[in-house]
Amino acid sequence: MEHVTTLPDADWRHRDGLAALTDVLGAGAARYVGGAVRDTLLGLPVSDVDIATRHDPDMVMAKLRSAAIKPIPTGIAHGTITAITASGPVEVTTLRRDVSTDGRHAEVAFTDDWREDAARRDFTMNALYADPQTGEIFDYFGGIDDLKAGRVRFIGDPLRRIAEDHLRILRFFRFMARFGDAPDTKGLEACVLRANDLMALSRERIADEFLKLLVARDAVRVLRLMTTRGVLLPVLPEVTEAGVDRLARLSSRESSLGFDADPIRRLIAVGPQDAAKADGVAARLKLSNARRKRIAAAIGDVSEAPRPLAFRIGKEAAIDRLLLADLDDAAARIAEIRDWDVPTLPVSGGEIVARGVQAGPDVARLLGAIRDQWVSEGFPDTSRARDIADSAVDQWLRAIR
């Protein structure tokens, strides 16, 4: 990336309603900030657009209403108003400075000083601002040079920044995995020294940040560094060198077979390979029931043929198992089910009752036997499934006479 002083043009800068929003906030009173500026400089796609402004939240609300832009006070106590534009929501946040912090929450005061606002941000690459009209970039702490060097660097004293918000430890490594080529030594040593601070964070915040890290470009290298230096021991001691090795193999397999990096599948790879222990990790991270069920289903035997396995545990779980397993023929097995629509047994319990079996446990047992036969024959059509059902019911009726 060559030295730049203005923000390159990008599709997001022409989103419907964005110009109207910046116009109503006024020239010189609002700037794009953070990820949108950083990612544009790197030539990456931009999803979320954030705006910083000198106006206090009440003034922002009034200005948006005057321009018929719907404001939602999503975080008004901390200065954030969500503006609903024609192309989607945009967060508009009043310039701030920290009054007090405890590692989890911050009390802020509003300011009109751009540098003061930049100084409270975590890393230099996230403290870049750009004028919406002229594109002029404002870089108060050498963020552009750090972007060029692939260096994730704390603004100011790393120990102080970590004391303000302990989550910055995990964010340091996530940004390193996404953007960094080499660790900033001072930042790395501060994160290692203060790793125990992670225990004060909510498990939801840890999970959110860790799952993002797992799917970052250079997750394997960075996670290996974290395990070597013991950063995760206070909150995720189950993540070991062996888990990183599994992640490396999974990452290679995902890439070669055209699968997107999946955070839950990757969490399974780095965690315990015992279903009960893996669920313990998921419970500690307060993952949803759906995610916990997926983790439990993905850990298990893969000796069964791919389609019967997918029928029994679901296609997603079967693909997870096959991607996670060390199989020479994983690609061939996955190909059998990847575009396969898992069928439903075309025989119901009601049809068994209609054949003369009294409703109850015998119906369930017969359905199980019919299903097993149907699966073993390769999921034949409805006509054959009903033949299987007729034969099973006839045998059962003869046996009870």
Side-chain angles (χ1 to χ4, degrees):
M1 186 180 72
E2 297 180 0
H3 181 70
V4 292
T5 56
T6 58
L7 189 67
D9 195 17
D11 289 344
W12 68 267
R13 296 185 64 186
H14 304 282
R15 288 180 184 175
D16 193 12
L18 189 57
L21 172 60
T22 57
D23 286 347
V24 75
L25 293 172
R31 294 174 183 172
Y32 300 130
V33 65
V37 179
R38 177 198 66 219
D39 291 353
T40 301
L41 290 174
L42 292 171
L44 298 174
V46 169
S47 53
D48 299 327
V49 178
D50 295 320
I51 292 175
T53 181
R54 281 176 160 162
H55 301 305
D56 66 42
D58 290 337
M59 178 64 75
V60 172
M61 295 277 286
K63 283 181 172 291
L64 296 187
R65 289 193 181 107
S66 72
I69 300 172
K70 181 180 179 181
I72 301 176
T74 44
I76 195 166
H78 286 80
T80 299
I81 308 297
T82 299
I84 306 302
T85 72
S87 57
V90 176
E91 286 195 351
V92 180
T93 302
T94 302
L95 302 183
R96 300 173 294 184
R97 59 180 175 83
D98 288 334
V99 174
S100 65
T101 58
D102 63 4
R104 293 175 297 172
H105 309 287
E107 180 185 345
V108 300
F110 302 133
T111 180
D112 62 359
D113 187 324
W114 295 100
R115 186 185 179 88
E116 197 170 30
D117 184 77
R120 71 176 299 276
R121 296 177 183 269
D122 49 10
F123 310 119
T124 59
M125 63 175 61
N126 292 336
L128 299 171
Y129 301 72
D131 185 282
Q133 280 75 36
T134 67
E136 181 183 359
I137 292 175
F138 300 87
D139 176 12
Y140 300 99
F141 300 104
I144 290 177
D145 287 341
D146 286 333
L147 270 185
K148 289 168 61 177
R151 181 173 52 242
V152 182
R153 184 167 62 89
F154 284 99
I155 295 171
D157 178 8
L159 289 171
R160 178 179 177 183
R161 309 325 306 273
I162 290 168
E164 292 167 350
D165 184 354
H166 306 323
L167 192 67
R168 286 172 174 164
I169 296 172
L170 292 182
R171 283 175 60 82
F172 177 82
F173 290 102
R174 174 165 72 87
F175 277 81
M176 193 193 307
R178 187 178 176 197
F179 303 112
D181 292 327
D184 174 66
T185 303
K186 285 182 64 177
L188 174 61
E189 295 306 322
C191 289
V192 172
L193 182 65
R194 302 305 307 177
N196 282 342
D197 291 351
L198 292 171
M199 291 189 289
L201 295 171
S202 74
R203 294 307 178 255
E204 292 92 341
R205 293 186 79 198
I206 291 172
D208 180 64
E209 200 64 37
F210 188 63
L211 290 174
K212 290 176 182 176
L213 190 160
L214 285 175
V215 296
R217 178 197 69 188
D218 212 1
V220 173
R221 179 181 66 87
V222 170
L223 198 62
R224 198 175 299 282
L225 174 64
M226 295 174 78
T227 54
T228 300
R229 300 302 302 272
V231 175
L232 291 172
L233 282 175
V235 289
L236 284 170
E238 297 85 355
V239 179
T240 63
E241 281 285 324
V244 181
D245 290 340
R246 287 191 297 271
L247 176 61
R249 292 191 294 269
L250 171 62
S251 174
S252 175
R253 198 170 292 124
E254 285 173 332
S255 177
S256 65
L257 298 180
F259 283 91
D260 291 334
D262 184 281
I264 297 302
R265 189 187 301 129
R266 289 185 167 208
L267 178 64
I268 298 166
V270 301
Q273 299 304 287
D274 174 85
K277 292 179 180 178
D279 185 63
V281 173
R284 190 190 323 140
L285 293 176
K286 298 188 183 300
L287 300 186
S288 67
N289 287 336
R291 285 179 158 181
R292 289 177 63 179
K293 287 178 181 177
R294 180 180 175 189
I295 290 169
I299 297 175
D301 184 61
V302 291
S303 60
E304 196 172 2
R307 288 191 174 185
L309 179 65
F311 177 79
R312 183 170 59 83
I313 68 173
K315 186 162 74 171
E316 180 183 57
I319 289 175
D320 282 343
R321 284 195 191 186
L322 293 168
L323 284 171
L324 288 159
D326 289 321
L327 298 170
D328 292 336
D329 61 346
R333 292 195 190 197
I334 290 170
E336 286 189 44
I337 60 174
R338 191 166 185 175
D339 297 319
W340 182 56
D341 293 326
V342 179
T344 301
L345 177 67
V347 177
S348 67
E351 291 177 77
I352 302 301
V353 172
R355 284 169 167 82
V357 181
Q358 186 174 356
D362 287 332
V363 173
R365 280 192 287 270
L366 277 167
L367 271 178
I370 293 164
R371 184 183 298 109
D372 290 346
Q373 178 68 23
W374 180 67
V375 171
S376 71
E377 291 188 15
F379 310 95
D381 61 18
T382 301
S383 176
R384 175 56 188 155
R386 287 174 177 162
D387 287 344
I388 295 170
D390 289 340
S391 176
V393 172
D394 286 346
Q395 289 181 23
W396 182 83
L397 290 173
R398 285 197 300 271
I400 64 171
R401 286 178 183 146

